[in-house]
Amino acid sequence: MQAPPRKMPRRNPLLPLFLLPISALVLAWPASCTADPVPVLFPVAKDPATSLYTIPVRDGASHVIDLAGPLLWSTCDDDHLPANISCRDRLCKLANAYRAPSCGGGVAGHPCSKRCKAYPYNPVTGRCAAADLVHTRLVANTTDGRNPLSQVPVRAVAACAPRTLLDHRLPRDATGVAGLSAAGLALPAQVATSQRVANANAFLLCLPRSGSGDGVAVFGGRGPFFLKLFVTGEPSSGDLTRTLQFAPLRSRPGNPLYYVPVSGVAVGRAPVPLPPRALAAGGVVLCTRVPYTALRPDVYRPVVEAFDRGLVRSDMRVAAVPPFEFCYNRTLLPPTRLGYGVPEIALLLEGGKQEWTFVGSSSMVDVDARTACLALLEMKGVKAGDPSAAAVVVGGFQMEDHLLQFDLDKKQLGFARVPIPSACSNFNFTRGRQ
Ligand SMILES: *[C@@H]1O[C@H](CO)[C@@H](O)[C@H](O)[C@H]1NC(C)=O
Ligand SMILES: *[C@@H]1O[C@H](CO)[C@@H](O)[C@H](O)[C@H]1NC(C)=O
Ligand SMILES: *[C@@H]1O[C@H](CO)[C@@H](O)[C@H](O)[C@H]1NC(C)=O
Ligand SMILES: *[C@@H]1O[C@H](CO)[C@@H](O)[C@H](O)[C@H]1NC(C)=O
């Protein structure tokens, strides 16, 4: 994408000609060397009321993370100065490359007026509004993957949404949304451009569990990435990006969702019989907007029944606790180092060579002192096999305490479970030495 215009020192028109090559060099120097070309990090919080994840971008104000979001947007002061971006400008085309269905019309439906408008939307309600674009500076810490190092400004273009776009279904303190999709004006591409990290339009996401403290997001790089371990003699987990497995990361034209091609689902190491092409139709998407993984009815039923049959004893099931259907007596579930000892649920990745496995700590949620439930939901309002609906939407809970590497250049997803006893909340936020 094109960088927002930056202030360049004006060249003196009286400068003797012979000095020009040197002065051009001197003038070009700061542009390439002042900002360290290193990734930046943001702490990631989980809002207990909504289960949404937020990062403090734009003056430290909290923004909801939306993996499928194409823009960075927030409410602005009423007297904000709109950026003078023509609707024919490349930035304007980037801002409008994806338009939520609720925004109507598509680009063609909105004739080019003088100044560019963007159409931010609320990822929870789907509500959309016309908005000005503004040039802004985010403040973030650079990182070596172990600690925050030093604060740097990150140039970005954001949309100024009306206050009506915020809603009680967003966290109380949220002032906007940080889109993390592969779109040109989403946060990852903007950080990569501002930080001048060549070929590193990639980011790492380590989402925290409720009540465990902040996780972390690192933009503008592929790693390394370390967490504190708290095991005797072992101060750090080692570089967790070395433990990643990889899957292709796809997107579809006109759709900012991240897709992962999945060829099957296994429960307790046995493949679950699914209707032909069930997973190809709609595919598997990653979504931080939904708290728990949702499966289309034709995929949900065989998977949850295989899980229930695969438990060590058949007398543990108790009454459902909405929104969950399969709930169990906690005192009978065997505890293990990796959560309850329940059948592993695995997404078999294209080619069957890799699998993304969810152990008890990622598949079971404690709903009260006596009950734990299988944290999978049946998609509502969707028919079995409907190809317009995803087959599986991997939600926030299942991504927590995993290191996810979204490599938008290589179109690749790296994933690894954070090794217990560490967790995404164990990033060392103490300032480190450069
Ligand atoms: C906005 O940009 C246009 C085209 O680049 C230019 O003609 C116009 O003077 C600018 N307006 C302001 C207020 O800067
Ligand atoms: C950068 O890191 C330091 C040390 O952890 C912290 O005090 C500061 O608030 C951070 N700045 C930002 C913008 O996150
Ligand atoms: C759970 O199991 C324990 C131990 O067998 C039993 O005492 C208790 O009544 C069970 N609770 C429910 C709700 O079934
Ligand atoms: C956290 O980082 C600081 C700065 O590098 C270091 O001094 C400290 O030992 C680290 N803490 C842990 C628990 O690794």
Side-chain angles (χ1 to χ4, degrees), residues 146-147 228 230 235-236 428-433:
R146 291 177 190 272
N147 299 94
K228 295 183 284 188
F230 303 117
S236 138
N428 188 344
F429 281 106
T430 306
R431 191 182 292 280
R433 273 192 306 269

Side-chain angles (χ1 to χ4, degrees), residues 378-424:
E378 183 168 26
M379 267 178 221
K380 294 277 179 289
V382 171
K383 288 210 182 64
D386 179 352
S388 67
V392 178
V393 177
V394 179
F397 184 81
Q398 273 74 26
M399 291 188 262
E400 288 170 1
D401 286 338
H402 281 75
L403 177 64
L404 299 178
Q405 183 196 61
F406 293 81
D407 192 326
L408 309 183
D409 288 328
K410 294 186 187 163
K411 299 195 184 346
Q412 181 174 273
L413 174 75
F415 59 93
R417 194 175 60 242
V418 166
I420 288 167
S422 202
C424 288

Side-chain angles (χ1 to χ4, degrees), residues 63-146:
H63 284 60
V64 175
I65 284 180
D66 180 10
L67 271 180
L71 293 172
L72 173 65
W73 67 260
S74 46
T75 54
C76 298
D77 296 332
D78 292 334
D79 59 353
H80 72 262
L81 215 60
N84 187 12
I85 298 170
S86 148
C87 55
R88 299 188 203 287
D89 193 287
R90 194 160 156 270
L91 277 178
C92 195
K93 297 212 168 72
L94 287 179
N96 286 283
Y98 296 112
R99 182 92 52 95
S102 60
C103 304
V107 183
H110 298 257
C112 180
S113 59
K114 285 199 184 83
R115 187 177 283 150
C116 181
K117 287 276 179 198
Y119 294 85
Y121 64 93
N122 178 320
V124 177
T125 62
R127 194 175 165 155
C128 173
D132 291 323
L133 290 174
V134 291
H135 291 292
T136 186
R137 273 168 196 271
L138 321 176
V139 181
N141 276 303
T142 58
T143 184
D144 55 1
R146 291 177 190 272

Side-chain angles (χ1 to χ4, degrees), residues 71-338:
L71 293 172
L72 173 65
W73 67 260
S74 46
T75 54
C76 298
D77 296 332
D78 292 334
D79 59 353
H80 72 262
L81 215 60
N84 187 12
I85 298 170
S86 148
C87 55
R88 299 188 203 287
D89 193 287
R90 194 160 156 270
L91 277 178
C92 195
K93 297 212 168 72
L94 287 179
N96 286 283
Y98 296 112
R99 182 92 52 95
S102 60
C103 304
V107 183
H110 298 257
C112 180
S113 59
K114 285 199 184 83
R115 187 177 283 150
C116 181
K117 287 276 179 198
Y119 294 85
Y121 64 93
N122 178 320
V124 177
T125 62
R127 194 175 165 155
C128 173
D132 291 323
L133 290 174
V134 291
H135 291 292
T136 186
R137 273 168 196 271
L138 321 176
V139 181
N141 276 303
T142 58
T143 184
D144 55 1
R146 291 177 190 272
N147 299 94
L149 299 179
S150 59
Q151 280 194 182
V152 291
V154 176
R155 284 168 298 122
V157 173
C160 273
R163 225 159 283 275
T164 52
L165 214 52
L166 298 175
D167 177 87
H168 69 276
R169 277 170 285 180
L170 293 188
R172 196 178 266 277
D173 64 347
T175 61
V177 170
L180 303 191
S181 73
L185 286 193
L187 194 55
Q190 297 216 57
V191 174
T193 303
S194 179
Q195 287 298 95
R196 295 163 177 267
V197 277
N199 303 319
N201 186 5
F203 65 98
L204 302 170
L205 204 54
C206 202
L207 298 175
R209 260 294 135 86
S210 298
S212 68
D214 284 349
V216 61
V218 177
F219 295 92
R222 302 187 171 88
F225 185 80
F226 301 84
L227 292 169
K228 295 183 284 188
L229 251 191
F230 303 117
V231 193
T232 35
E234 282 290 331
S236 138
S237 61
D239 176 10
L240 289 179
T241 60
R242 289 168 173 273
T243 67
L244 294 173
Q245 287 186 280
F246 296 97
L249 186 63
R250 303 257 164 87
S251 57
R252 296 186 181 169
N255 183 337
L257 292 168
Y258 290 118
Y259 287 85
V260 179
V262 171
S263 56
V265 179
V267 170
R269 310 237 134 241
V272 177
L274 294 175
R277 295 193 50 75
L279 295 167
V284 172
V285 307
L286 305 180
C287 188
T288 45
R289 292 174 205 167
V290 298
Y292 301 100
T293 295
L295 296 90
R296 212 176 43 211
D298 52 318
V299 180
Y300 175 81
R301 198 53 52 192
V303 168
V304 293
E305 283 175 357
F307 177 88
D308 189 60
R309 275 197 309 273
L311 289 167
V312 286
R313 27 193 303 179
S314 55
D315 58 346
M316 295 190 287
R317 186 124 180 238
V318 297
V321 179
F324 307 109
E325 183 182 355
F326 284 78
C327 295
Y328 301 94
N329 186 338
R330 269 177 76 170
T331 52
L332 301 179
L333 282 165
T336 76
R337 216 169 52 84
L338 304 176

